[in-house]
Amino acid sequence: MSVAAIGADAHGHVDQLYVETRELRLQGFLLFLISDCVLFSSFIFAYLYLRNSGQGWPPPGIQRLDVAFAAWNSVVLFGSGATMHYALENFKHGNFMKYMRFLLATIVLGAGFLGGQAYEYNHLIFGEHVTWWGSGIFGASFFTLTGMHGLHVFLGVCYLTVLVLQSAAGVYTKGKFFGITAGTLYWHFVDVIWVVLFSIFYLI
Amino acid sequence: MAVAAVHSGGIAEHIHPEPQGFVRRYVFSLDHKIIGIQYIITAFVFFMLSGLLAEAIRTQLLNPNGGFVAPGTYNEVYSVHGSAMVWLVIIPLLTGGFGNLVFPLQIGARDVAFPWLNMLSFWIFPVAGLMLFSSFLMGAPTAGWMEYPPISLQGAAGTSMWCAAIFLVGVSSTITGINFVVTILKMRAPGMTFTRMPLFVWGQFATAPLLMIATTALAAALAALFIERQFGVPFFDPTKGGSPVMWQHMFWFYSHPAVYIMILPAFGIISEVLPTFARKPVFGYKLIAFSSMAIALLGFMVWAHHMFTSGLAPFLQLPFMILTYIIGVPTGIKIFSWTATLFGGKIHYSTAMLFAIGFIGLFTIGGITGIFLAAIPFDLHVHGTYFIVAHLHYVLVGGSLMGVFAGMYYWFPKMSGRLLNETLGKIHFWLFFIGFNCTFLPMHWLGMLGMPREVATYDPQFTFWNRFESVASYLMTFAILIFFVNVLWSIRNGRRSGPNPWGARTLEWQIPSPPHYYNFKHIPTVYGLPYDFSQPLPYKGLEEELTDSPPPVAAGVH
Amino acid sequence: MVTAVLAVLAVAAIVFCYTFPLERYLPAAIVTARQVDELIRFMSATGSALYIFVAGYLVYFAIAFRAKASDAPDAIGVQIHDNRKLEFWWTVIPLLFVLVLSIVSVRIWYEILLEPENGLVVEAIGHQFYFSFRYPQINGEVTDEMHVPLNVPVTLNLTSADVIHGFWVPAMRLKNDTVPGLVTTIRFTPRLAGRYPIICTQFCGVEHSEMDKQVLVIEDKASFDRWYKGWQQKNARVSNALPGASGQAISLQGGDAAAGKALFSQKCTACHKLAPFNQTLVGPGLEAVLHDPAHPDLVNGKAANPADVASILENGYTGSMGAMPSASSNGLSPQDIANLVAFLNTLK
Ligand code: HEA
Ligand code: HEA
Ligand code: CUA
Ligand SMILES: [Cu+2]
């Protein structure tokens, strides 16, 4: 039974079934985020472990990271977190057009972040010192973690695009917008992970 | 529609449309009971295969110089045996199998929270299982179920297949875990407070977070090993700056909690069987429930006790030793409470009860040797020997597998409406009990005296006991064969059980066997613990369950 | 009554554990081995006493409280739910026991850790599938046996050249893994002369089970010195030979390629594919070993020719990829070798 199929009755009351389904899904989704978080944590553990087991960091012969560029790129991502927040708020308050605009902004910023990441990868791989996935523990942990994060952003962008289409088709109503809530949660989650990744790769 | 009005038609009252057609009913079923049975059948098929591998191990070890299979093949055999028994047999049986089958009934729910996800996690499992076994076609993994690199990096192509297969089982477990947590948190019948949940539910409730969290950590490790093997991305290879010890941390951070995934639900089964057949409330309900949670929590803090020999700094090892000892305390509480449950009872010796009592006797041996292993100086002697093999089979076969058998004899009527044959059951029990002890007890001294594990050939001084074990393991095989015969025979010819053959008091026994697809006609209200035999049943709203009246809302929602 | 019987049994078990002649079965070759034995005695005594009580009451209750034929079919047991006092004590007593056990095991562990630091240094290096040893303080030549003098503290540094192995001497009650890229140390003082097996306890490849053929020799200082000197002389003589080379070329006449082919699939495919050289399984791919100009020199550094392949098959070879077993450990007769070479020669 899809959520959309359970319509509110003629008086605009949301039925009990929907409310409870939403609660279940919310909880399930939060638990999913927790286990996703464990996935990242394990790789972060691996990175920190390798970093501390070796002969000093970063290992010689790798391309240095461009911290300033990555910082700007992070700002783009965090900006998208803010726009996503406003999108949800506006939807809740019934400002549909504003909601759509913020949602589209989020998508653009998310895609922008991905573009920045692609630029950065390009710089590393074809830079002065070739630094790629297989070329040492730095490449292994950096590309695995940021790649995994990038994949999350990419999936998020796809999902938000679906949200745009669905919203345009009127799937979400004032009482029923779990899809948007989930998207927001997910997007914030991806942001928070990036805070951690940025700190451990660029700052320490 | 009267009931629907009372409960305002929420999800608890929601009844799925009755599935139509064979495929929707039995293959791609959304019904937690059918999914549970699917898990059980699939896992038992894998059990036969990995049991046959176990017998191949024992046949090889009849002679000190082996000779049954080539050494390389032998390594494949025990690696797949260990992996399959853990990931394709015990974990699916206890969580996806009995978990799905029983606990939604026990909390008075009509299904789990996410039936679609439930179906998905089931269907991942046989696929992953076939992948694991198909690795034999391309050179199965040889480095044991823990696949320590760097040797696992040298392993044949099947090792990557192994990674992928276990990864998939992990995905399936994670989904199941999420599903179960939400179900237990949100779908309990009115009045089913946490302190009124049956202990099997508590067992699942303690296990589900482990499934959810620990398994994801394993997924990361497997992904890293896979990409290292396939794409040469260095994580573990020391010649490229990686660290083999890091794998051990990542692996055991999952696999120690995993051993509790394999035992906590079995504890739950025992806690159901004992009071039912002793006709007595389970002793110390709250402490049993609480200790499951304590074990699950402590289970995350002891993983390095598998790594005492791998060169960790001593000050890091010390807390692991002591925390591991401490796990003995909550486990002890359970053992003592179960023993006390028998005191003053009127014990009926059904086969399920025999297995439950056997479980306590055998698991305690494995648990105590576990405490021995936690003592670093002792572990430095026996790590990597048959003493470990003895410990792990006492807890896994004497514990988890005995728990599975207890659960099968106990809940088989709920699955099929028929009883398993008790005479065959008792033969099964005694042969298994004797065969088991004779197979695994001598391993303790073999290990102490110098027999390493994972060897295809061994020092001739150990010949006698190895032959003894092998012969005893054939007896065990025979016992299990009887069990399978019993199941196959009883499905068609077993005595009809009626709804509640054991006079048990948890909710699943108050409805027909097998239950209707919607479980309950009316969601009952609970006002007490199920285990108090001197009181009337603590449920309201069950009056119509055993009558022919149709469920009230079936037609309404759709 | 039952308690008394169980107490007697428990005392008997304790006495048994403390009097069991463990060293008759497993000599205690180093000083701390006897301490570990103390721990084993303590744990098995307390463990079995505990178990006797748990299992004893379990069996006793199981028999005493069985439903009897005279009981009504719906008779129920005594409805006891819990007992705070009992539950308190069976939480607290095990906790106290854990405390005692921690103290006992930490004490013994410290005995092991605090063995003297500056003893005779021995390096043990794990290989697929043997250990080699070095004595850097003497002159650092690689030996294939481990000897240590009696009563002299030893510092044993463990590492590995390929994969993880476990270095275990049961008579020492001590082991540690040899991890590539990591040096781990165990220290001990030998106390009992003798020859004690060294066993590998981490799975390390097809021949892991064969990795128990070496011994630790504990002997007095004079014999130790004599041994080391002898080793130096021997080593000087054979230093450039292949390990274990017999010097006698195998006759390759009459090799039967068909028999070689069958044998290859039994004995070699665990490690070699019939694929180009760089398709490594354990050893290199062997497609056209003898005829492929692109095939690099053989592992022993010579251009590929049948005689050298035969020598590799006979003597085995350990190089950067790992270890190729010798004819004796792979169970190959000279005729087998001839057949295999004939077969390899047909691969073009
Ligand atoms: C839940 C887990 C589980 C279970 C149930 C078992 C069950 C058994 N195990 Fe296993 N075992 C492990 C988990 C388990 N094991 C693990 C994790 C390892 C470590 C692996 C490693 O080192 O990596 C191990 C290793 C291991 C070893 C050590 C190998 C070595 O180190 O060299 C041995 C040796 O005896 C062994 C024996 C057995 C035997 C005899 C059984 C018996 O109890 C099996 C009995 C079952 C049967 C015999 C099936 C009977 C089926 C039929 C009768 C049906 C007939 C068939 C058809 C119709 C198709 N096991
Ligand atoms: C179901 C699975 C299961 C369970 C429940 C356990 C339970 C325990 N295990 Fe076990 N273990 C395995 C499965 C399991 N284990 C496996 C598969 C391996 C091998 C992996 C491999 O290498 O292949 C292993 C290996 C293993 C090791 C590593 C050995 C080595 O490789 O060197 C250690 C070390 O500490 C250990 C300890 C323990 C302890 C302390 C418990 C405790 O939880 C036990 C607690 C129970 C009791 C203590 C008994 C009852 C209590 C009382 C009667 C009260 C009084 C007692 C005290 C207070 C002491 N286990
Ligand atoms: Cu070396 Cu096993
Ligand atoms: Cu463990």
Side-chain angles (χ1 to χ4, degrees):
Chain A
M1 146 138 349
S2 77
V3 175
I6 313 166
D9 64 26
H11 311 288
H13 295 298
V14 177
D15 67 55
Q16 186 72 16
L17 190 53
Y18 176 75
V19 172
E20 290 186 21
T21 315
R22 187 183 59 197
E23 249 174 63
L24 291 186
R25 291 190 178 181
L26 184 64
Q27 209 162 58
F29 193 72
L30 287 174
L31 293 175
F32 159 74
L33 290 184
I34 291 178
S35 37
D36 205 15
C37 185
V38 175
L39 191 65
F40 275 104
S41 311
S42 304
F43 276 109
I44 290 172
F45 163 82
Y47 161 71
L48 294 176
Y49 190 98
L50 290 175
R51 183 177 167 129
N52 288 316
S53 68
Q55 332 67 24
W57 196 266
I62 59 154
Q63 188 70 36
R64 301 309 297 268
L65 293 170
D66 186 344
V67 181
F69 179 80
W72 281 112
N73 208 19
S74 313
V75 170
V76 172
L77 188 66
F78 300 147
S80 78
T83 52
M84 191 67 215
H85 173 79
Y86 287 118
L88 179 67
E89 285 304 305
N90 277 306
F91 187 88
K92 281 187 189 160
H93 291 101
N95 301 334
F96 187 76
M97 280 326 284
K98 264 190 164 171
Y99 152 76
M100 284 296 254
R101 259 178 252 136
F102 274 117
L103 193 56
L104 285 170
T106 313
I107 292 175
V108 170
L109 289 173
F113 173 81
L114 286 176
Q117 213 174 20
Y119 172 81
E120 195 184 14
Y121 278 16
N122 189 45
H123 175 68
L124 286 175
I125 299 169
F126 302 105
E128 192 182 345
H129 307 283
V130 177
T131 302
W132 173 226
W133 213 17
S135 57
I137 49 179
F138 176 83
S141 36
F142 180 81
F143 285 103
T144 307
L145 268 169
T146 55
M148 226 164 79
H149 179 264
L151 186 69
H152 276 74
V153 176
F154 176 73
L155 293 177
V157 168
C158 296
Y159 180 71
L160 296 189
T161 313
V162 173
L163 273 188
V164 170
L165 300 178
Q166 284 185 330
S167 312
V171 170
Y172 300 103
T173 63
K174 194 159 176 358
K176 294 183 178 171
F177 51 89
F178 177 73
I180 303 174
T181 319
T184 315
L185 279 173
Y186 178 83
W187 200 255
H188 289 329
F189 168 79
V190 171
D191 270 5
V192 171
I193 296 286
W194 183 251
V195 176
V196 178
L197 293 190
F198 184 75
S199 333
I200 60 172
F201 278 113
Y202 298 86
L203 300 184
I204 60 172
Chain B
M1 282 293 152
V3 176
V6 171
H7 291 287
S8 53
I11 193 151
E13 283 296 337
H14 173 63
I15 292 182
H16 293 293
E18 180 166 13
Q20 298 300 331
F22 183 79
V23 170
R24 293 310 301 270
R25 228 183 253 228
Y26 298 113
V27 183
F28 295 105
S29 171
L30 294 176
D31 180 350
H32 69 95
K33 302 178 289 298
I34 301 293
I35 293 177
I37 292 171
Q38 288 176 321
Y39 262 109
I40 290 176
I41 293 173
T42 320
F44 269 122
V45 170
F46 290 134
F47 174 69
M48 288 185 197
L49 294 175
S50 27
L52 288 178
L53 293 177
E55 295 314 320
I57 295 177
R58 289 305 340 158
T59 308
Q60 167 86 357
L61 297 181
L62 272 172
N63 294 311
N65 55 359
F68 181 62
V69 293
T73 316
Y74 176 81
N75 301 331
E76 299 181 2
V77 166
Y78 69 70
S79 302
V80 176
H81 161 70
S83 316
M85 281 290 192
V86 167
W87 283 299
L88 304 182
V89 179
I90 298 293
I91 294 181
L93 272 174
L94 286 173
T95 59
F98 286 114
N100 261 319
L101 179 74
V102 177
F103 95 80
L105 295 173
Q106 288 189 327
I107 60 174
R110 290 222 161 106
D111 207 332
V112 292
F114 308 112
W116 278 95
L117 285 181
N118 208 14
M119 180 177 84
L120 177 70
S121 53
F122 168 72
W123 277 106
I124 294 174
F125 158 55
V127 174
L130 290 178
M131 280 167 66
L132 180 58
F133 277 98
S134 74
S135 70
F136 272 115
L137 302 177
M138 56 192 91
T142 52
W145 76 295
M146 52 274 198
E147 289 298 315
Y148 281 7
I151 184 67
S152 59
L153 298 174
Q154 300 177 356
T159 311
S160 300
M161 189 57 122
W162 176 89
C163 290
I166 306 302
F167 186 94
L168 281 184
V169 188
V171 172
S172 153
S173 286
T174 309
I175 301 177
T176 306
I178 294 177
N179 211 340
F180 283 10
V181 172
V182 178
T183 310
I184 296 176
L185 286 179
K186 288 282 172 189
M187 316 253 310
R188 281 165 291 131
M192 178 67 82
T193 59
F194 272 92
T195 47
R196 288 178 189 163
M197 287 192 323
L199 285 166
F200 182 73
V201 184
W202 269 106
Q204 293 291 338
F205 188 57
T207 313
L210 300 181
L211 283 176
M212 226 176 71
I213 294 172
T215 314
T216 331
L218 178 71
L222 291 168
L225 188 63
F226 184 85
I227 56 187
E228 172 145 10
R229 282 179 50 88
Q230 295 311 93
F231 309 116
V233 174
F235 284 102
F236 306 118
D237 183 348
T239 60
K240 296 187 194 148
S243 162
V245 177
M246 183 174 84
W247 164 266
Q248 302 178 15
H249 282 292
M250 295 174 87
F251 182 80
W252 291 115
F253 182 78
Y254 159 79
S255 280
H256 186 78
V259 308
Y260 296 117
I261 295 177
M262 293 185 275
I263 204 69
L264 291 174
F267 286 168
I269 295 176
I270 301 310
S271 312
E272 295 297 326
V273 172
L274 285 177
T276 301
F277 293 104
R279 301 261 159 251
K280 258 196 87 201
V282 69
F283 189 93
Y285 169 88
K286 282 199 180 138
L287 269 187
I288 293 188
F290 169 77
S291 59
S292 292
M293 302 308 278
I295 292 172
L297 192 69
L298 283 168
F300 277 112
M301 302 185 225
V302 298
W303 75 90
H305 67 210
H306 297 270
M307 302 165 58
F308 287 149
T309 63
S310 49
L312 300 185
F315 69 90
L316 286 178
Q317 299 184 11
L318 185 65
F320 285 106
M321 166 163 100
I322 292 176
L323 282 166
T324 309
Y325 286 158
I326 292 178
I327 291 195
V329 177
T331 319
I333 290 176
K334 283 177 187 288
I335 302 281
F336 299 138
S337 303
W338 289 328
T339 312
T341 302
L342 296 185
F343 176 82
K346 283 270 175 278
I347 305 172
H348 294 264
Y349 281 104
S350 70
T351 311
M353 187 64 170
L354 283 176
F355 273 105
I357 293 179
F359 172 101
I360 304 175
L362 298 181
F363 173 78
T364 307
I365 296 181
I368 290 175
T369 57
I371 299 293
F372 289 13
L373 291 175
I376 296 174
F378 184 67
D379 188 63
L380 292 184
H381 180 49
V382 295
H383 173 79
T385 69
Y386 260 82
F387 194 92
I388 311 292
V389 178
H391 161 72
L392 76 89
H393 287 94
Y394 263 87
V395 284
L396 278 168
V397 182
S400 313
L401 191 59
M402 293 277 259
V404 165
F405 286 137
M408 276 302 284
Y409 283 95
Y410 186 59
W411 280 306
F412 189 79
K414 217 13 80 178
M415 296 181 226
S416 66
R418 291 178 190 268
L419 290 160
L420 284 173
N421 182 301
E422 285 286 313
T423 314
L424 286 180
K426 282 178 186 150
I427 298 173
H428 168 205
F429 172 77
W430 286 109
L431 290 183
F432 184 78
F433 189 83
I434 295 165
F436 168 79
N437 281 298
C438 295
T439 308
F440 294 109
L441 198 65
M443 290 184 184
H444 289 103
W445 52 87
L446 285 180
M448 299 251 290
L449 293 180
M451 180 161 164
R453 64 190 281 198
E454 310 193 326
V455 287
T457 58
Y458 54 89
D459 191 322
Q461 74 183 60
F462 304 125
T463 313
F464 173 76
W465 286 113
N466 271 292
R467 290 209 172 135
F468 181 83
E469 289 166 3
S470 297
V471 172
S473 80
Y474 299 145
L475 186 66
M476 204 175 10
T477 312
F478 182 62
I480 295 172
L481 203 61
I482 293 180
F483 167 73
F484 283 123
V485 169
N486 193 353
V487 169
L488 294 179
W489 183 84
S490 302
I491 287 178
R492 301 189 147 268
N493 312 312
R495 202 148 56 76
R496 291 210 181 269
S497 63
N500 190 358
W502 315 121
R505 298 170 56 94
T506 37
L507 267 172
E508 81 271 28
W509 297 108
Q510 316 310 326
I511 54 178
S513 310
H516 297 298
Y517 68 93
Y518 47 77
N519 294 355
F520 298 94
K521 286 182 178 150
H522 306 284
I523 299 296
T525 310
V526 183
Y527 55 92
L529 259 178
Y531 303 116
D532 202 340
F533 283 80
S534 59
Q535 302 294 320
L537 282 175
Y539 310 113
K540 282 198 185 105
L542 287 172
E543 300 75 17
E544 281 180 48
E545 296 299 335
L546 297 177
T547 64
D548 290 336
S549 65
V553 285
V557 167
H558 286 271
Chain C
M1 180 54 203
V2 177
T3 316
V5 172
L6 294 180
V8 171
L9 282 175
V11 170
I14 292 173
V15 171
F16 174 79
C17 291
Y18 271 98
T19 53
F20 184 80
L22 198 59
E23 286 184 36
R24 192 185 307 156
Y25 296 92
L26 200 58
I30 63 170
V31 175
T32 51
R34 312 196 73 182
Q35 257 113 30
V36 176
D37 283 355
E38 278 313 298
L39 181 67
I40 295 178
R41 287 182 200 285
F42 173 74
M43 291 197 310
S44 47
T46 47
S48 49
L50 172 75
Y51 187 69
I52 285 173
F53 276 101
V54 172
Y57 278 115
L58 186 71
V59 171
Y60 166 61
F61 291 163
I63 295 172
F65 298 109
R66 68 191 187 283
K68 303 184 185 72
S70 55
D71 287 328
D74 57 352
I76 59 172
V78 210
Q79 303 294 301
I80 316 168
H81 290 265
D82 49 11
N83 179 332
R84 285 287 145 75
K85 228 170 158 180
L86 214 54
E87 289 173 48
F88 176 79
W89 285 115
W90 72 42
T91 312
V92 169
I93 293 177
L95 265 175
L96 292 177
F97 175 72
V98 162
L99 195 71
V100 175
L101 185 59
S102 305
I103 293 169
V104 173
S105 39
V106 168
R107 218 197 62 230
I108 288 167
W109 188 37
Y110 271 60
E111 303 271 347
I112 298 173
L113 290 177
L114 296 181
E115 280 281 300
E117 296 259 351
N118 38 16
L120 169 70
V121 176
V122 185
E123 293 174 5
I125 302 140
H127 304 265
Q128 284 167 323
F129 297 94
Y130 61 94
F131 292 103
S132 64
F133 304 94
R134 278 181 77 233
Y135 291 76
Q137 289 167 335
I138 305 186
N139 83 345
E141 289 192 38
V142 177
T143 68
D144 61 5
E145 277 177 49
M146 178 167 172
H147 288 233
V148 289
L150 209 49
N151 298 327
V152 175
V154 176
T155 300
L156 177 62
N157 291 327
L158 298 160
T159 190
S160 165
D162 36 52
V163 301
I164 301 179
H165 303 268
F167 179 94
W168 183 34
V169 180
M172 285 171 37
R173 317 282 192 281
L174 207 53
K175 74 163 64 65
N176 232 334
D177 295 356
T178 70
V179 185
L182 209 68
V183 178
T184 55
T185 300
I186 51 187
R187 294 189 295 267
F188 60 93
T189 310
R191 63 171 278 274
L192 196 68
R195 298 169 64 80
Y196 308 103
I198 300 172
I199 296 170
C200 176
T201 50
Q202 290 289 349
F203 176 76
C204 52
V206 260
E207 280 181 78
H208 162 64
S209 24
E210 297 295 315
M211 209 166 149
D212 58 357
K213 304 279 181 269
Q214 285 165 294
V215 288
L216 163 69
V217 182
I218 297 180
E219 59 199 350
D220 57 55
K221 185 81 175 75
S223 334
F224 172 78
D225 290 342
R226 222 169 317 125
W227 166 77
Y228 198 85
K229 202 127 151 248
W231 182 268
Q232 283 176 322
Q233 287 166 357
K234 191 168 111 211
N235 216 21
R237 252 184 288 120
V238 295
S239 61
N240 287 327
L242 272 174
S246 63
Q248 192 121 62
I250 290 178
S251 156
L252 295 177
Q253 300 297 303
D256 172 0
K261 184 171 184 189
L263 202 57
F264 189 85
S265 62
Q266 284 166 17
K267 302 245 174 180
C268 317
T269 44
C271 304
H272 296 287
K273 278 192 278 199
L274 287 178
F277 177 75
N278 56 8
Q279 291 211 15
T280 309
L281 207 57
V282 177
L286 291 180
E287 186 182 81
V289 241
L290 290 163
H291 297 279
D292 181 2
H295 195 88
D297 285 352
L298 279 188
V299 285
N300 62 7
K302 302 179 192 163
N305 69 53
D308 286 326
V309 168
S311 136
I312 288 175
L313 289 185
E314 192 195 1
N315 302 312
Y317 194 84
T318 300
S320 58
M321 296 179 203
M324 154 92 186
S326 65
S328 59
S329 61
N330 213 351
L332 298 177
S333 67
Q335 184 58 45
D336 289 341
I337 294 181
N339 293 347
L340 281 166
V341 174
F343 166 63
L344 292 176
N345 217 352
T346 61
L347 302 172
K348 301 229 162 97

